[in-house]
Amino acid sequence: MRSIDVVGTASALPDAWSSRSLGDVGTARVKVLRMDGGPVPEEAHGAAEVLLVLDGRLELSVEGAEVAVGTGEMYRVPAGARHAVRPGSRGTLVIVEVPGE
C-alpha cells in the first residue's frame, strides 16, 4: 500500500463537510474532510468516535459544553453523546468511526 496525502485529499473535495473514506482498520473507518467555518447540526452515534485536527481548529458543543480542538489535537466523542460543530471550525479533520453504530 502506498501513503495517502491526507491534507491534499481533503483540499480536493468538492464540498466542505463532505467526507471521503481513506480506508478501514478492523471495524473502524478513517475519513477526512475539509471544515469551512460553517456549523454542523447536532448528532449522536452508538459508538465513540475520534476527531483529529490536522490543521486549523474544530469548535464543538458536546452535551452542552464547549470544546475547542486545535492543530495536532484529538478529541474522543463518547458513544451516545450529543455533539455539534459550532461556527468557526476551519481546516482539515480526520474522523475515526465505526460505521452503523
Side-chain angles (χ1 to χ4, degrees), residues 3-50:
S3 64
I4 298 170
D5 178 357
V6 178
V7 174
T9 300
S11 296
L13 291 170
D15 299 310
W17 300 109
S18 66
S19 64
R20 175 163 181 198
S21 176
L22 299 175
D24 296 336
V25 180
T27 60
R29 175 155 299 141
V30 180
K31 303 186 311 186
V32 65
L33 59 82
R34 180 172 39 85
M35 303 179 285
D36 72 347
V40 176
E42 187 176 74
E43 61 184 4
H45 310 283
E49 68 179 349
V50 169

